[in-house]
């Protein structure tokens, strides 16, 4: 693994990471991405527990694949099938998983920022697998790794993030990572889906996707998070698709534009199938790189734990 000075017990978000730490994770992930069947021993004999209170296909499966490739035992709970459904707090749930022997807790839950206050109360390493609308750090890391591998660099790239920015933890984590590494980020969508003050994170704002795509190197397409929208924020999905969906017509003239999407894709709304499955799409490479990034994160946290003899 590449040398990096990693001094954190947990990975809760990217906002507080330095550019050196982010690059260090990407560098550590690169050999795993080069050799997708590679294995390691960083988690040999260690227990990784998953506690998810929101659905997941990609994050859950790739974290689990990463942990197993590094030699861990894994156990998983969905909050709905756990004693959280009987009123147990998140902290109590995690403390009990720790008591079972888990040294790594991978958590997805719906409350933005709920993990930070818990981390210092746990000996286990806490990994944020998505907290409400706040952060999804490993998703952004795999997005940036995919960009770096496809474009050869991050510094100076122009990246458009289009969609439901208001409710997107993926957008926030991407803005933190991309701006830290010197990319120029534009967020695009209808005004009701762009949070006030997003410019303070270093992103430009556009409400015109055709204008935003002019000169862009990559577009990260986000879905409408209807499960988080408690009122009508768009006129209709067909209207949204016409204004902000990526279609072959809209893609014409952008032959070098890389298409990213964190998934799940709502085909025909934010992304036409011809674009999702076409030669400019890196969507499944993102998923594959997710295993590499999560192996790198586990390895770095394991190195911290070894140094601190936990
Ligand atoms: N990108 C992402 O978080 O996908 P899942 O919800 O399937 O994990």
């Amino acid at each position: 693994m590449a040398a990096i000075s990693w001094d954190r017990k947990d990975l809760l978000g990217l906002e507080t990471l330095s550019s050196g730490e982010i690059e260090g994770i990407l560098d550590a992930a690169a050999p795993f991405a080069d050799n997708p069947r590679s294995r390691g021993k960083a988690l040999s004999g260690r227990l990784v527990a998953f506690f998810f209170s929101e659905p997941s296909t990609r994050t859950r499966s790739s974290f689990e694949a990463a942990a197993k490739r590094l030699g861990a035992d894994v156990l998983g709970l969905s909050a709905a099938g756990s004693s959280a459904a009987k009123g147990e707090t998140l902290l109590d749930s995690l403390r009990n998983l720790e008591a079972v022997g888990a040294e790594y807790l991978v958590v997805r839950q719906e409350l933005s920022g709920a993990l930070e206050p818990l981390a210092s109360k746990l000996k286990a390493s806490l990994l944020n697998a998505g907290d409400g609308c706040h952060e999804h750090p490993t998703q952004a890391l795999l997005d940036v790794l995919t960009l770096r591998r496809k474009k050869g660099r991050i510094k100076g790239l122009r990246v458009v993030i289009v969609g439901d920015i208001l409710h997107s933890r993926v957008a926030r984590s991407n803005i933190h990572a991309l701006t830290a590494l010197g990319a120029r980020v534009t967020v695009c969508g209808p005004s009701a889906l762009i949070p006030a003050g997003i410019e303070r994170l270093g992103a430009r704002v556009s409400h015109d996707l055709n204008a935003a795509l002019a000169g862009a190197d990559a577009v990260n397409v986000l879905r409408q998070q209807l499960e988080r929208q408690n009122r009508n924020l768009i006129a209709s999905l067909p209207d949204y698709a016409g204004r902000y969906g990526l279609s072959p017509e809209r893609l014409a003239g952008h032959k070098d534009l890389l298409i990213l999407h964190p998934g799940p894709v709502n085909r025909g709304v934010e992304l036409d199938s011809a674009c999702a499955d076409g030669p400019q799409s890196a969507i499944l490479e993102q998923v594959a790189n997710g295993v590499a990034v999560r192996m790198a994160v586990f390895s770095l946290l394991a190195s911290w734990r070894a140094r601190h003899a936990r």
Side-chain angles (χ1 to χ4, degrees):
M1 196 171 66
I4 165 185
S5 167
W6 181 262
D7 197 22
R8 295 178 186 265
K9 174 176 82 71
D10 311 289
L11 181 66
L12 303 177
L14 300 185
E15 185 171 13
T16 56
L17 264 58
S18 67
S19 57
E21 287 174 303
I22 294 169
E23 275 176 348
I25 298 172
L26 301 180
D27 291 345
F32 297 129
D34 287 339
N35 302 291
R37 294 190 179 181
S38 59
R39 307 188 80 89
K41 295 181 177 168
L43 298 183
S44 183
R46 309 296 179 181
L47 182 60
V48 176
F50 296 88
F51 193 78
F52 275 46
S53 65
E54 289 184 340
S56 170
T57 296
R58 284 148 288 270
T59 310
R60 172 67 202 273
S61 61
S62 57
F63 258 121
E64 185 162 337
K68 287 179 171 168
R69 285 186 176 279
L70 294 173
D73 297 319
V74 300
L75 65 83
L77 287 180
S78 69
S82 77
S83 286
K86 294 183 266 182
E88 189 163 60
T89 67
L90 179 58
L91 179 58
D92 281 337
S93 299
L94 298 180
R95 275 185 168 150
N96 278 272
L97 289 171
E98 205 174 50
V100 168
E103 295 178 56
Y104 301 84
L105 299 166
V106 183
V107 180
R108 168 170 287 188
Q109 51 80 49
E110 61 281 0
L111 295 175
S112 302
L115 296 183
E116 272 93 345
L118 308 188
S120 63
K121 300 183 169 110
L122 294 161
K123 288 196 176 71
S125 291
L126 196 50
L127 292 89
N128 183 2
D131 63 327
C133 306
H134 180 224
E135 282 230 36
H136 193 346
T138 54
Q139 177 66 46
L141 289 165
L142 74 87
D143 292 343
V144 176
L145 179 66
T146 305
L147 259 176
R148 195 173 86 164
R149 289 171 70 81
K150 298 295 279 189
K151 296 288 185 183
R153 67 192 164 95
I154 299 298
K155 191 173 174 61
L157 287 184
R158 293 174 175 229
V159 181
V160 175
I161 306 175
V162 59
D164 182 355
I165 310 297
L166 181 65
H167 298 100
S168 179
R169 53 199 180 203
V170 174
R172 277 173 190 73
S173 290
N174 263 275
I175 293 170
H176 295 317
L178 288 167
T179 56
L181 300 185
R184 175 176 153 163
V185 180
T186 300
V187 294
C188 182
S191 331
L193 294 177
I194 304 283
I198 191 91
E199 297 92 338
R200 284 198 292 274
L201 301 186
R204 294 162 174 78
V205 174
S206 170
H207 303 297
D208 178 342
L209 182 55
N210 292 331
L213 290 180
D217 298 289
V219 58
N220 199 339
V221 185
L222 308 178
R223 71 184 173 92
Q224 292 295 310
Q225 299 202 34
L226 297 176
E227 73 276 24
R228 299 191 204 280
Q229 296 180 13
N230 54 14
R231 60 197 163 92
N232 289 339
L233 295 174
I234 54 173
S236 68
L237 288 178
D239 177 76
Y240 176 84
R243 291 171 192 268
Y244 294 105
L246 205 60
S247 60
E249 296 72 35
R250 185 158 269 144
L251 204 54
H254 298 287
K255 67 178 177 49
D256 295 326
L257 184 75
L258 186 71
I259 301 170
L260 303 174
H261 193 308
V265 175
N266 292 134
R267 290 171 182 261
V269 181
E270 74 273 9
L271 197 53
D272 196 281
S273 281
C275 300
D277 304 327
Q280 290 169 248
S281 169
I283 293 174
L284 292 178
E285 283 178 64
Q286 288 174 264
V287 178
N289 288 335
V291 180
V293 156
R294 287 157 181 142
M295 288 175 80
V297 169
F298 276 132
S299 300
L300 292 168
L301 296 177
S303 72
W304 184 93
R305 298 185 72 79
R307 287 200 309 279
H308 294 78
R310 293 206 168 217

